[in-house]
Amino acid sequence: MKKIWWIINGVWLVLFSGLAIFIYFREVDAAGVVQTSELKWLSLALLGVVLLLFAIVQLIFLFFLKKLKS
């Protein structure tokens, strides 16, 4: 079960890294707004908050996995 937990975390890491690279290098977003440095950093900060929420949920799952094993 713990192996699956690590695989899922690896998938999340690749997904968030890919999204961060995409956000940083895009010139225009889906609405047609030109992305300035401030907007890119704001988008990256929002992605970081989402990553933090997922990390908290993953740590809670890890806590329960360790509790079930012992």
Side-chain angles (χ1 to χ4, degrees):
M1 189 71 165
K2 197 170 183 182
K3 194 174 208 177
I4 294 171
W5 183 82
W6 280 108
I7 292 170
I8 291 171
N9 280 335
V11 169
W12 281 119
L13 181 65
V14 169
L15 179 69
F16 279 105
S17 298
L19 283 172
I21 291 170
F22 173 73
I23 288 171
Y24 190 75
F25 286 111
R26 70 180 177 177
E27 297 294 324
V28 179
D29 70 358
V33 177
V34 176
Q35 294 294 290
T36 62
S37 295
E38 292 84 11
L39 287 175
K40 287 180 183 182
W41 285 110
L42 181 65
S43 296
L44 288 171
L46 183 61
L47 184 65
V49 168
V50 172
L51 177 63
L52 184 65
L53 291 174
F54 276 108
I56 291 169
V57 170
Q58 287 290 337
L59 289 173
I60 291 170
F61 280 148
L62 180 63
F63 174 75
F64 285 117
L65 280 176
K66 285 186 175 185
K67 199 170 192 176
L68 286 175
K69 193 169 189 175
S70 60

